[in-house]
Structure formats: structure tokens, C-alpha cells
Amino acid sequence: MVGKLLAPEIKSLIDARNFGALREVFREWPPADVAEVILDAQQKLLRAMAHEQVVGILNEMSPDDRTALLEELPSAAARQLIKLLTPEERHVAQALLGYPEGSVGRLMTPDFIAVDEDWTVQQVLDFVREHGQDSETLNVIYVVDERGKLIDDIRMREFLLKPLAHTVRDLMQKTFVTLNVHDSQQDALNTFRKYDRTALPVVDSTGVLVGIVTIDDMLDVAEEEATEDIQKIGGMEALDEPYMRISFWRMVRKRAGWLVILFLGEMLTATAMANYQDEIAKAVVLALFLPLIISSGGNSGSQASTLIVRAMALGEVTLRDWWRVAGREIQAGLSLGLILGAIGTLRVAAWSIVGERYWHRQLYGPHWPLVALTVGIALVGVVLWGSLSGSMLPFVLRRVGADPATSSAPFVATLVDVTGLIIYFSIALVIMRGAML
């Protein structure tokens, strides 16, 4: 909150290149609060700094944080900054940026403590005292062989609680969990959740330990993944930038695409209704329940889609589970449809009886029992279809390599709107034929 209040003043200090005053403002602030305030202005701040200051900052940054900064910059600017690094830091930066975007390799840091299995606890503790200040975390010590291959990881508490003469081999259990440099960040997040770790080692294809990923990086990934999924489920492209930072026209472009697609999809609803003009003309009462029918189907489909998309994101559901999911959603859709169908039937019956008895009006005509039956059965069918299609669409998208989150609630609702109309009028033709149609 304080950062937000001071943000205009800080911006003016940056514009005026008054770094002395900035140092005074930030002197007592926790680093995380400073980072939050200057996040929007970090590129401008870098351009305003002297060459020596930029060099010092870049070389002192942790490799994973520096990679995140370079990823956000235009490629030309990133290349210029990489040239300012020392040869050692430049090699590290280029190596991390060389991994595919969205991979674990982009998240990891090469700053960790690795020891030999023949060392004693005393040797390990001495090594940590000498080199530990450069490590990303000291919670876990990694054991490697002479070729650098990971053979175990041991929590620091084990070294602190064991006699100094014990060897590392005495503490090894070889039950460690690893990530591969080419694993996706989403897979890494699921691994962190499963094993409840604060840090995990990263190995290459030969098993050589090349870095570690810590829980703070995973928290950032979790936030980004959740934000992206929520935005896609809302029926738009992911912004990939904070709302207040993204340019106006870029935001419009990301929202317009899906809106046009959904609009064109809804036009199919009008086409479907046009095919039933004669039926609507003969039984105008059917049109009264169109919003009720299509919204119920769309809502059930949106529920199912949201549940499955989230289950996939958490690793609870895989492609192999599609048949089990289909079975569950058929049962759930049938149950929910029966509930809504019963309510819809009772609603039509109650209004008709009350209207005729007290208002002397037949709200839904003399054939209201047929109307009630049509509405009830149609709700069962539409809700069942909505639940099934909403749950299966994420599987289809995952199967073709697309993001399941794009099976957004508006998209599912649009799909079910069109098919719901067909189901509704098809049932009406069967039930009302010879009476109203």
C-alpha cells in the first residue's frame, strides 16, 4: 500500500535521475517491496542508470531472476545487456536462455551446493561455510559423483544432527526426485505439489546436475498459470502482461478475436431458430422457454468444462481418463437435468393452474400439460448434453495439442446454445405433434 502511494513520487525521481533520493527512499524497505514498486519502471530505470551501475546490477543478480528480466526485454535490448556481463555470468545467462521458453531450464539457477559421497559431515559443513553465500538455498545439499551425476539429495538438518565423523554415504537414502531441463514449468509445478519440496534438482539427459529450482520460482509459475487459465476461461486470449501495463490496443486485439468467434457462433443460434419458424408460429409458447432451455444447457456445460480444465491443470485428470469422466458426467448431467426438469415442469404446471383458477387466464394455453412435459424432458436432454460436451471438449483440445483452457465457459455456452435449440424443438415436435404442431 505504501508503495502504491509513493509510486508517483518514485516515478518522478526516476525521471529526474535523482538516484540519491531513491536510495534514501528505499534504504529501509524490504527488497520485495522495492521490486513491486519499480516493476513497471524497471526498463526505464535501467536506461537511466550509468553504464557502471547497470553492469554491477546485472552481474550481481541471481541467474534465474536475471533470466526473467532478459525474457521481458526486446531481443535487441537483451543482447546489449548480455554483452555487459562478465564472461562467466554471460556463459550462464546464455545457457539458461538457450533452453526452450516455458521449460524448467529457464527457471533454474546453477547456484547450489554439491558434495562428494566420501566427504565427512565436517567437510560438508566447512564447505558450506566457505561457499554457501553464493547458493540459492542451503536447505538441501546435493551429492554428485566424479562425473557430476546426481546420486542423492540430503536435507541440511541431517548434517546438523549427525556426528561430524559420519560420511555423506552414511546419510544417503537415494530416494531423490529430479526435474529435467526440458520439462515444462507446469509439470515442474505438479511435481512440487506432489512431493511438497522447497527445492528440486534439475538434471540433463545424462543425469548430470545442472541446476536447481526453488519454491519461490514455482509460486510465480503457479500465479502466471492460474492467471492465464482464468483469462482464457473468461473467453479471451491470455494477456501475458499485467492489466495496467498492457497497451490499450494490444488488450483490444486479445479480446476481440474470441468475441468475434463467439459472435459468429451465436449467429448459428439464429440460423437454428430460423429452421423452426413454422413451429414457433404455431406454438408461440415454445419461444417463452427458449432462454430457460439454452441458459441451463450453457450453464451445465460451463460447469463441466471449468471442472475438467482445472483438474487437468492440477494433474488430477489425464487423456486416459476421458471414458471415466464421460461416465461420471453422463450420470451427473442426468441427475442435474432431472432436478431442473422437475422444477421446470412444476413451474409450468403451477403457473397454469394458478392463472386459470385465480386470474381466469390460461398463461400457456389449453395444452399446458404438453408444454410442461416438453420443457421438463428438454431440460433433461439439454443439461445432459451440456455436461457431456463441456467435459469432453477439454480432452479434444488436449488431444490435438491445444490448451484445454481455451474451452472457455462462453465458448461451451455458445456450442450448447445451438445444439440445445435442436434438442428442444425436436422434443417439442414429438410431444406436441397433432395437438399444437
Side-chain angles (χ1 to χ4, degrees), residues 1 22 74 89 98 116 127 143 194 228 260 266 276 304 311 389 406:
M1 179 60 70
L22 278 174
E89 294 297 333
D116 190 275
F127 185 80
V143 187
K194 180 177 180 180
E228 182 178 321
V260 171
E266 287 292 355
Y276 293 100
S389 59
T406 56

Side-chain angles (χ1 to χ4, degrees), residues 39-194:
L39 179 62
D40 294 341
Q42 59 182 352
Q43 296 183 30
K44 187 174 183 179
L45 188 57
L46 279 174
R47 289 193 296 267
M49 285 182 171
H51 180 274
E52 296 76 13
Q53 293 172 314
V54 174
V55 170
I57 289 174
L58 290 177
N59 281 292
E60 291 299 322
M61 290 181 73
S62 62
D64 52 342
D65 290 339
R66 184 172 57 216
T67 301
L69 171 63
L70 294 174
E71 280 182 325
E72 293 183 4
L73 296 174
S75 57
R79 286 194 296 269
Q80 290 297 321
L81 291 180
I82 290 174
K83 292 178 181 178
L84 301 179
L85 298 172
T86 63
E88 181 181 355
E89 294 297 333
R90 186 184 308 129
H91 175 75
V92 171
Q94 291 174 333
L96 296 183
L97 289 171
Y99 292 109
E101 187 175 353
S103 69
V104 169
R106 288 286 186 101
L107 283 180
M108 71 179 185
T109 174
D111 296 335
F112 55 86
I113 296 292
V115 300
D116 190 275
E117 61 181 331
D118 294 324
W119 288 13
T120 65
V121 171
Q122 179 68 65
Q123 287 176 299
V124 171
L125 294 177
D126 290 342
F127 185 80
V128 170
R129 290 190 187 95
E130 183 176 355
H131 302 283
Q133 69 274 6
D134 297 324
S135 178
E136 181 79 4
T137 177
L138 296 177
N139 292 338
V140 182
I141 304 299
Y142 300 95
V143 187
V144 297
D145 62 15
E146 65 278 1
R147 292 170 296 177
K149 295 184 67 172
L150 180 67
I151 55 179
D152 205 358
D153 61 359
I154 304 174
R155 297 178 185 273
M156 174 56 80
R157 61 177 295 174
E158 299 296 326
F159 293 101
L160 297 176
L161 297 176
K162 293 296 190 242
L164 298 179
H166 272 45
T167 65
V168 173
R169 186 180 290 105
D170 297 331
L171 308 181
M172 291 170 54
Q173 296 181 347
K174 296 188 177 181
T175 57
F176 59 96
V177 179
T178 66
L179 300 171
N180 186 276
V181 287
H182 295 292
D183 286 345
S184 70
Q185 295 178 6
Q186 180 62 57
D187 289 340
L189 185 59
N190 293 335
T191 303
F192 267 85
R193 287 196 186 104
K194 180 177 180 180

